[in-house]
Amino acid sequence: MTTEPAGLVVIGASLAGLRGAEALRQGGYDGPLTLVGAEAHRPYDRPPLSKHVLAGELRPDATRLPERTRLSARWHLGNAVVSLDRSARRLSLADGTALAYRKLLIATGAEARPWPAETGGGLAGIHTLRGRDDAASLRADLLAGPRRVLIVGGGLIGCEAASCLRDLGLPVTLVDSNSAPLARALGTWVGGVIAACLRESGAVFRPGTQVLRFEGDAAGRVARARLADGSIVEADLVIAALGATRATGWLRGAGLMADPGGLTCDAACRVLDMDGAPCPDIYAAGDVARWPSRLYGDRLVSVEHWGNAVEQAAHAARNMLAGPDDQRSYVHLPAYWSSQFGINIKAVGLTEGADAVAVVQGTRASRRFLAVYGRGGRSIAAVSFDQARWLPAYAEAIAAGAGFPPILDATDQPRIESAAPGFPSPRVAARSTEAVHG
Amino acid sequence: MANLMADAMPDAALFAAVTDPANRADPYPLYARLRQRPVWRQPDGSYVVSGHAAIRALIFDPRLSSEDLPPTRRPRTGNPLKDFILNPIKNRITASHRPLIFRDPPAHDRLRSLVMREFSIARVLALRDRIAREVDQLIEACRGRPEVCLVSDLSYPLPVTVICALLGVPEADEPRFQVWATQLATAVEPDAHHDAEGRRAIIDAFDAIAAYMRDLIREKRRRPADDMLSGLAAAGPDGRKQMSDFDLIATAVLLLVAGHETTVNLITNAMLTLLRHPEELDRLRADSERAPQVIEEVLRYDPPVHFRTRKALGSITIAGETIPKDAPVILLFAAGSRDPERFADPDRFDPDRPDIQHFGFGGGLHYCIGAPLARIEAEIALVALSRRLVAPRLLCDPPPYRPGASLRGPEQLAIGIGGIV
């Protein structure tokens, strides 16, 4: 056991961890500061991994995040926290180090959902794409010239990868259980635009079916996939883009409200214990945090977006340095972007529960449009395809609880017709809030 | 008019005072008063927006339109063929072939993307040598004189030459463009009031330049060169015209007019500001790498364009005011760039500011297309002026200004010099 003085400890050395640590220093904290990261790398940026890094425009190690403040921190990298003992205020790291803390910021993020071992997950050539090392190994396999790449899952990562791989001229098949890509994020009505882009790019899009299992060759490398519709796709490289689960496994036994869907916090980013009481000295931010969103009726949400990692980390750090009577609520309108098939997609708000969608500027046919999602007559989210400049005005309307559709009388406004957004029914496996492990 | 109480709220005469030529030399105290209400309704129902945050929100608000010109109305002739068939068609053509600065999406976006593709950074950088040569010649021509007028000796002739080179106008035809540019300069001035004679002169100049352009476009189609007009006149990948001839002419004229007086003002305002802050002129002379910072700060501190007018397509609530549908909205960019809520000590000229997010090139979808070219022109001109004018000093401060309150700049800038090196 080491005798490091107990200071502030940030668990997780990615975007939220780094920005949180910087905010602590910028907020005037000059005591001991420690960052612990499961990966061996200094904080790096993830968005380029599924775009420029796959395309070979950027080396995986060129994604390092700029450190904007002199942190004077102690780093434990490549050394995950394995347990938290709240009564002793102590963390145990994978290498056996014990680390005392005064306050904690938990920013462990999320982990890619792997393909299950029992249906072929152990085969070589099956990749996930979450971290820098994933991107490097996938890129190396791409350079070997696969005969066909099978992408499982048409979410943002799956679609960005498909777009990149088609630009590289590789044969691509994308399988998604919904009728259109991006169905869970944007609904099939908007996702249909990307379905058309996918097909135009020369990729084979296989909607409405699933991969049952992968089969390998004699060398243990993936060779084909068997699909639920009885067909077989020959593919020697697979990207499993199945979404992510929150990195909370290490909190088992810590007595906190944590499960694969997130680590529950109060509005001030303080982590809740099993009785639902906020821990005054433990905060969470970024992908791992699940917090009551004031803009969405205090529903617990967890948001896997870059902007949230930055803002929430700064907010949590601010509250960590403030007194118990000065804990401010985190109010955030989620936002993200994607680039695929030459289209810049930007979205704000949460589409969950949307019962209507309408194009309010541009046209879906031109692939330049801005669409708004409504729920019970209120505007709850908006997405732009190559029309990002107008999005802030819609974000403001959504945050202000505007009716649906908002902002009439805009330039380039078509006759507004509302459509069914086409969201798939909630996936039971992805529901996370029920099973809480303590 | 200039007797102002800084803490007084805007009154009915305030914006009229902005347009009053008597306040041209220093409108900034008026702007400070206007900013007391960042969005202010004038008695005539128009709105003056002077706060940085409000301007920023509005330039990205889809309810603000730039199609604020009334459609051309041709008088009744009594001839039913003309009145009911020909003229309505002509009116429609006129309305649909406005230059893109006066158009909204989607037409604006289509035209702008074509222009942006041709207004490439590579093409702008390729003009560097030409600009430097021209600047040298213009300065050289002042040799032996005890004083120069920056406007007529350099800032005024330079941009026309550069735009002609960019478009691909033969050098021999440049003098005609200098004349047309002068005649058309006032046409885009939002607060200009033209008498019948003035209007006639503008229309004649437009007809002359349009006729010239039509011929030049035909020539570029026959013998394309590596210039902007050739690029815009070329057929698209589908073999069809990318831009109609109307749009091409409107765009070429727009580039000439919008790119001319603005650049004149940028160079002149920059030199005026440096002469008023001699320590900054010395620092620039010693270190030409400072030029970009100096230019950005000039764009904030004393910009070439002070305001533009838009129209609200729907009601917009901002900064506690609700702008109703159809109301004219005056975006007072130059006031936003001096907003103390956004910039510390905003009335101080400080090229070392860490975060100069000015409205010197406007903003939003109509952000100045020529910004990179303007920056390079100003940079080359300022570096050369700082190095080659010996002991420059202002002979008249404030200098006389041209009438425009929006496209605002000195009419002359007399500088005493000890020689040219």
Side-chain angles (χ1 to χ4, degrees):
Chain A
M1 179 162 172
T2 60
T3 53
E4 285 175 34
L8 303 190
V9 177
V10 179
I11 309 177
S14 190
L15 181 63
L18 174 65
R19 293 290 178 254
E22 288 171 348
L24 289 170
R25 285 294 187 225
Q26 282 161 351
Y29 175 69
D30 58 4
L33 177 64
T34 305
L35 281 96
V36 187
E39 289 180 72
H41 312 298
R42 290 285 272 222
Y44 60 86
D45 208 22
R46 294 178 195 276
L49 298 180
S50 54
K51 307 172 185 81
H52 312 285
V53 172
L54 275 199
E57 295 159 1
L58 206 59
R59 287 158 37 127
D61 59 3
T63 53
R64 189 166 153 183
L65 281 165
E67 289 164 24
R68 302 184 302 189
T69 312
R70 207 178 138 65
L71 284 179
S72 308
R74 190 181 166 90
W75 296 78
H76 292 271
L77 294 176
N79 197 1
V81 177
V82 292
S83 69
L84 161 64
D85 181 344
R86 287 194 295 136
S87 54
R89 288 175 179 265
R90 202 174 54 223
L91 299 164
S92 302
L93 307 193
D95 70 351
T97 306
L99 207 57
Y101 67 85
R102 193 157 66 77
K103 287 189 181 184
L104 277 186
L105 175 59
I106 298 177
T108 44
E111 294 157 347
R113 212 177 254 126
W115 188 263
E118 54 271 28
T119 50
L123 295 167
I126 300 183
H127 295 260
T128 53
L129 183 47
R130 174 88 200 166
R132 208 178 103 175
D133 296 341
D134 298 340
S137 93
L138 176 53
R139 174 75 191 156
D141 264 13
L142 292 177
L143 287 176
R147 289 192 308 280
R148 177 163 291 274
V149 181
L150 175 59
I151 299 172
V152 191
L156 288 168
I157 298 292
C159 288
E160 286 180 2
S163 168
C164 255
L165 269 45
R166 284 307 303 142
D167 285 346
L168 295 174
L170 295 169
V172 171
T173 299
L174 190 146
V175 176
D176 190 279
S177 57
N178 301 298
S179 65
L182 304 181
R184 207 161 289 281
L186 298 173
T188 53
W189 194 76
V190 170
V193 178
I194 293 299
C197 292
L198 250 178
R199 292 189 165 115
E200 256 170 49
S201 78
V204 177
F205 178 44
R206 300 283 303 271
T209 186
Q210 300 178 50
V211 174
L212 294 180
R213 64 176 181 278
F214 290 107
E215 294 171 1
D217 59 17
R221 186 174 178 86
V222 67
R224 70 195 67 82
R226 288 197 183 275
L227 270 52
D229 62 7
S231 63
I232 289 172
V233 177
E234 300 286 337
D236 51 351
L237 183 55
V238 171
I239 302 173
L242 307 168
T245 54
R246 272 56 182 176
T248 55
W250 62 282
L251 286 168
R252 201 165 282 118
L256 299 174
M257 278 201 190
D259 58 67
L263 171 58
T264 307
C265 310
D266 68 0
C269 308
R270 289 175 299 200
V271 169
L272 301 186
D273 68 16
M274 292 300 283
D275 300 323
C279 303
D281 49 5
I282 307 181
Y283 291 75
D287 292 10
V288 75
R290 181 170 51 201
W291 41 281
S293 169
R294 198 169 87 192
L295 297 173
Y296 290 91
D298 288 330
R299 198 169 82 215
L300 285 177
V301 302
S302 77
V303 175
E304 285 180 86
H305 305 321
W306 197 94
N308 178 61
V310 172
E311 270 189 48
Q312 197 173 20
H315 191 93
R318 184 253 163 230
N319 281 354
M320 282 172 83
L321 300 178
D325 301 330
D326 184 24
Q327 294 291 303
R328 292 192 195 153
S329 291
Y330 178 58
V331 181
H332 174 78
L333 184 67
Y336 64 88
W337 79 94
S338 172
S339 73
Q340 45 185 284
F341 306 104
I343 300 171
N344 169 256
I345 301 174
K346 279 192 171 186
V348 294
L350 299 174
T351 54
E352 197 180 316
D355 52 30
V357 61
V359 167
V360 293
Q361 287 189 257
T363 59
R364 208 163 48 131
S366 67
R367 294 176 188 167
R368 286 170 66 83
F369 63 92
L370 201 144
V372 178
Y373 296 83
R375 177 184 188 173
R378 292 237 163 263
S379 296
I380 57 168
V383 64
S384 64
F385 276 48
D386 278 344
Q387 290 283 288
R389 62 176 168 243
W390 303 127
L391 204 55
Y394 290 86
E396 200 169 303
I398 289 162
F404 175 82
I407 306 187
L408 303 172
D409 313 308
T411 62
D412 199 12
Q413 193 156 64
R415 204 163 75 88
I416 295 180
E417 289 172 284
S418 170
F423 285 101
S425 55
R427 183 170 50 186
V428 179
R431 281 182 137 176
S432 46
T433 44
E434 277 76 31
V436 175
H437 55 71
Chain B
M1 233 19 127
N3 176 24
L4 301 164
M5 285 165 58
D7 57 347
M9 293 298 264
D11 58 59
L14 208 42
F15 195 71
V18 170
T19 54
D20 182 347
N23 291 313
R24 195 67 71 249
D26 186 12
Y28 297 104
L30 289 166
Y31 296 167
R33 279 184 64 193
L34 279 161
R35 270 195 314 265
Q36 310 255 318
R37 282 191 215 155
V39 178
W40 173 58
R41 184 182 186 280
Q42 298 200 84
D44 68 358
S46 64
Y47 285 75
V48 180
V49 185
S50 54
H52 192 282
I55 292 171
R56 200 174 152 71
L58 284 173
I59 55 180
F60 291 106
D61 195 299
R63 290 163 294 195
L64 224 53
S65 167
S66 292
E67 293 191 352
D68 54 0
L69 290 185
T72 312
R73 293 265 157 72
R74 288 177 171 78
R76 285 282 171 93
T77 62
N79 175 344
L81 180 71
K82 275 191 173 170
D83 288 349
F84 298 104
I85 299 177
L86 291 180
N87 282 351
I89 292 171
K90 282 185 185 168
N91 288 344
R92 232 183 7 255
I93 290 173
T94 317
S96 67
H97 290 90
R98 292 170 186 157
L100 61 107
I101 195 171
F102 296 125
R103 293 175 86 166
D104 290 341
H108 165 274
D109 294 3
R110 183 180 58 78
L111 293 171
R112 185 174 169 111
S113 71
L114 291 170
V115 175
M116 290 294 282
R117 200 188 57 209
E118 295 302 326
F119 214 138
S120 62
I121 294 298
R123 189 158 274 155
V124 170
L125 289 176
L127 288 169
R128 275 199 95 105
D129 290 347
R130 178 72 197 278
I131 298 169
R133 200 169 73 227
E134 197 66 28
V135 166
D136 274 342
Q137 282 172 7
L138 291 167
I139 294 177
E140 201 53 45
C142 299
R143 191 175 284 284
R145 285 163 38 190
E147 79 170 78
V148 297
C149 170
L150 184 70
V151 178
S152 54
D153 289 330
L154 189 139
S155 341
Y156 208 84
L158 177 66
V160 176
T161 303
V162 176
I163 293 164
C164 285
L166 178 76
L167 285 173
V169 172
E171 281 192 52
D173 296 338
E174 239 187 70
R176 299 162 76 184
F177 271 75
Q178 296 279 1
V179 175
W180 288 328
T182 307
Q183 287 169 331
L184 292 172
T186 50
V188 290
E189 178 65 36
D191 55 337
H193 299 285
H194 306 293
D195 55 16
E197 200 182 325
R199 271 198 296 274
R200 192 68 244 162
I202 290 171
I203 291 167
D204 288 347
F206 187 86
D207 286 347
I209 196 170
Y212 175 88
M213 280 294 176
R214 205 166 288 127
D215 291 344
L216 187 58
I217 290 162
R218 206 170 296 145
E219 174 63 21
K220 296 291 179 190
R221 289 211 173 101
R222 259 201 304 270
R223 272 185 287 272
D226 182 15
D227 56 49
M228 201 162 159
L229 213 50
S230 297
L232 291 173
D238 57 358
R240 294 164 58 182
K241 281 182 188 174
Q242 308 176 81
M243 247 191 208
S244 72
D245 285 7
F246 277 115
D247 281 331
L248 247 175
I249 293 166
T251 302
V253 174
L254 173 72
L255 292 172
L256 175 67
V257 172
H260 180 226
E261 222 170 280
T262 50
T263 315
V264 176
N265 292 348
L266 176 58
I267 296 170
T268 313
N269 291 353
M271 200 57 195
L272 172 62
T273 304
L274 287 172
L275 289 166
R276 284 172 173 169
H277 299 83
E279 69 291 350
E280 286 298 339
L281 185 57
D282 292 343
R283 293 175 75 187
L284 176 64
R285 184 180 300 119
D287 177 13
S288 61
E289 302 275 306
R290 282 182 64 77
Q293 286 159 263
V294 168
I295 290 158
E296 293 314 298
E297 177 67 344
V298 168
L299 284 160
R300 185 196 71 81
Y301 178 83
D302 199 21
V305 180
H306 279 226
F307 56 91
R308 300 291 307 165
T309 304
R310 308 267 204 267
K311 188 181 78 183
L313 295 176
S315 87
I316 304 171
T317 300
I318 182 161
E321 283 282 347
T322 297
I323 302 172
K325 183 172 161 59
D326 293 332
V329 179
I330 299 162
L331 300 174
L332 195 42
F333 290 125
S337 291
R338 290 229 195 172
D339 188 342
E341 300 270 315
R342 178 62 183 74
F343 300 101
D345 204 357
D347 294 328
R348 199 162 72 87
F349 177 68
D350 176 12
D352 292 314
R353 274 175 201 283
D355 179 20
I356 310 179
Q357 208 177 59
H358 57 71
F359 293 122
F361 290 122
L365 82 163
H366 291 286
Y367 180 88
C368 178
I369 288 181
L373 180 59
R375 284 180 165 124
I376 281 186
E377 263 180 80
E379 182 184 325
I380 293 172
L382 285 185
V383 169
L385 288 166
S386 71
R387 288 184 174 171
R388 300 197 60 195
L389 302 188
V390 177
R393 66 194 187 282
L394 275 179
L395 296 179
C396 178
D397 191 9
Y401 276 78
R402 285 194 317 278
S406 175
L407 293 181
R408 172 186 165 277
E411 186 161 38
Q412 296 164 22
L413 191 69
I415 303 173
I417 53 171
I420 302 274
V421 290

